[in-house]
């Protein structure tokens, strides 16, 4: 049998591991921060109608500029964040991971490097490697927070062409203050004039939803805010992520995307979901309630949850996290071991799933 080692792959890919959160079939799956609620049936029916209509035209390529979808995404952001974005400010891809890949293809490349503040989303490094871009990890403050001083020092030390700020940060849940984002932007413009990407995959779960870097875009042409329909919108399987930025940035991303990269089905489904954004986001309040419940119950168990603005919680205080992970799995509950000693990460599920997680954890740690 041929193995990977026998193939003439690019030397810089040798020894790399693909992204690999376990996909196991268990009753309570709280390991990849999905919205575990199903979408409303009324919305599903509307989407099916739109998919059927697009099927009748499936002999033709889809709208390469996906203008209807971009209009709907701009309206969604404007309605919720008070911004005045136009179609020209919006980009989208098959998940925000593809959008991030477009960013690295357009603004990274050989001889350039990106900076992230660890621990952060593991895909940044993998996407950088795929785009032959260097990647540097800088440290965070105590309890994974990020201060103005820390981001500015990190940027001045590393002189990156791209900076990734994830807010709220995966896997820690920590939000990044808007003043820190502004300080990072200013420091980056003073050093390399590079691109600052703020990844707001979990933005809708924040305690204060108006806390978005979208509100900082005006006058900052190298600030890019990436978001996704995978989490709050409960649309992970549809693969729709998007970006708000200056129109010139969108022109740059158009240079590297594959033509017709968003299928007619994807565009139709996403437009259908956005036409019902209130209903689609109906579960967000409930998820926030379950998140806050997990935080207080973990504290009551003597564990140490980190500050979170997302739909998940990273918590410390475990003597043997891999063992606890395994014992939870044996009880039908899948969470995530991010390899940070003494910690596990859990997504806030439905009330029932959350209860099952808390019960299983109490059993495992004997509380
Ligand atoms: C889940 C997640 C995404 C979303 O990825 P999609 O490709 O849109 O599903 C992006 N960034 C972070 C930090 C995430 O956790």
């Amino acid at each position: 049998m041929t193995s990977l080692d026998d193939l003439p792959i690019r030397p810089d890919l040798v020894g790399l591991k693909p992204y690999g959160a376990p996909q196991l079939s268990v009753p309570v799956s709280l390991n990849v921060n999905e919205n575990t609620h199903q979408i409303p049936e009324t919305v599903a029916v509307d989407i099916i109608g739109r998919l059927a209509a697009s099927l009748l035209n499936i002999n033709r390529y889809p709208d390469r500029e996906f203008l209807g979808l971009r209009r709907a995404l701009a309206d969604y952001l404007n309605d919720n964040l008070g911004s005045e974005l136009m179609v020209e400010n919006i980009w989208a891809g098959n998940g925000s991971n593809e959008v991030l890949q477009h960013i690295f293809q357009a603004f990274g490349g050989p001889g350039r490097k990106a900076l992230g503040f660890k621990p952060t989303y593991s895909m940044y490094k993998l996407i950088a490697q795929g785009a032959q871009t260097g990647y540097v990890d800088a440290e965070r403050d105590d309890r994974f927070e990020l201060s103005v001083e820390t981001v500015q020092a990190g940027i001045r030390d590393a002189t990156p062409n791209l900076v990734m700020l994830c807010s709220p940060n995966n896997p820690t849940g920590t939000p990044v203050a808007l003043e820190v984002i502004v300080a990072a932007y200013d420091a980056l413009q003073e050093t390399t004039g590079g691109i600052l990407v703020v990844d707001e995959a979990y933005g809708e779960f924040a305690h204060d939803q108006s806390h978005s870097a979208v509100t900082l875009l005006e006058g900052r042409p190298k600030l890019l805010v990436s978001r996704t329909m995978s989490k709050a919108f409960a649309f992970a399987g549809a693969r729709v992520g998007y970006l708000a930025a200056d129109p010139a940035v969108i022109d740059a991303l158009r240079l590297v995307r594959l033509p017709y990269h968003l299928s007619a089905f994807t565009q139709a489904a996403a437009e259908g979901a956005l036409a019902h954004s209130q209903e689609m986001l109906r579960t967000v309040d409930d998820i926030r309630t379950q998140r806050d419940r997990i935080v207080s119950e973990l504290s009551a168990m003597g564990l140490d949850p980190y500050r979170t603005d997302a739909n998940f919680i990273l918590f410390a205080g475990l003597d043997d996290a891999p063992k606890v992970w395994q014992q939870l799995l044996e009880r039908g509950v899948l969470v995530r071991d991010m390899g940070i000693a003494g910690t596990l990460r859990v997504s806030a599920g439905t009330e029932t799933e959350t209860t099952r997680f808390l019960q299983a954890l109490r059993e495992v740690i004997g509380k």
Side-chain angles (χ1 to χ4, degrees), residues 94-97 121 124 166 170 199 201-202 228 230-231 239-241:
N94 294 284
S96 51
N97 277 283
Y121 189 41
Y124 301 153
C166 189
N170 185 4
D199 181 349
Y202 302 94
T228 183
S230 293
K231 308 289 162 57
R239 312 303 301 125
V240 185

Side-chain angles (χ1 to χ4, degrees), residues 16 36 52 121 136 151 155 164 196 199-200 207 218 232 234 246 260 269 279 291 322 325 345:
L16 295 187
T36 65
Y121 189 41
V136 182
V151 292
I155 289 169
M164 308 301 300
L196 173 61
D199 181 349
E200 293 187 348
H207 287 91
E218 188 69 45
D246 190 274
Y260 317 108
E279 289 158 84
R291 170 201 58 206
W325 182 87
R345 191 193 70 189

Side-chain angles (χ1 to χ4, degrees), residues 110-122:
R112 294 194 170 181
K113 67 186 164 198
L115 171 72
F117 293 84
K118 71 173 180 187
T120 192
Y121 189 41
S122 60

Side-chain angles (χ1 to χ4, degrees), residues 128-151:
Q129 282 163 336
Q132 298 191 297
T133 309
Y135 187 91
V136 182
D137 276 315
E139 301 291 330
R140 288 173 175 261
D141 302 321
D142 199 26
R143 299 198 64 82
F144 305 125
E145 300 284 336
L146 272 184
S147 64
V148 164
E149 296 72 33
T150 299
V151 292

Side-chain angles (χ1 to χ4, degrees), residues 56-138:
L56 297 175
N57 273 322
I58 211 71
N59 55 312
R60 300 289 183 184
Y61 281 114
D63 176 4
R64 196 174 50 221
E65 299 301 335
F66 46 104
L67 293 172
L69 175 57
R70 285 159 77 196
R71 174 81 267 155
L73 289 165
D75 289 345
Y76 167 67
L77 291 176
N78 294 344
D79 288 347
N80 286 279
L81 300 173
S83 49
E84 294 180 0
L85 300 166
M86 301 173 305
V87 168
E88 292 76 17
N89 293 107
I90 304 292
W91 188 245
N94 294 284
S96 51
N97 277 283
E98 187 180 51
V99 172
L100 296 174
Q101 187 175 51
H102 289 163
I103 295 170
F104 273 83
Q105 288 175 333
F107 297 107
R112 294 194 170 181
K113 67 186 164 198
L115 171 72
F117 293 84
K118 71 173 180 187
T120 192
Y121 189 41
S122 60
M123 281 307 300
Y124 301 153
K125 192 176 283 179
L126 279 174
I127 291 171
Q129 282 163 336
Q132 298 191 297
T133 309
Y135 187 91
V136 182
D137 276 315

Side-chain angles (χ1 to χ4, degrees), residues 2-9 14-15:
T2 311
S3 87
L4 191 51
D5 300 333
D6 303 321
L7 296 176
I9 63 168
V14 172

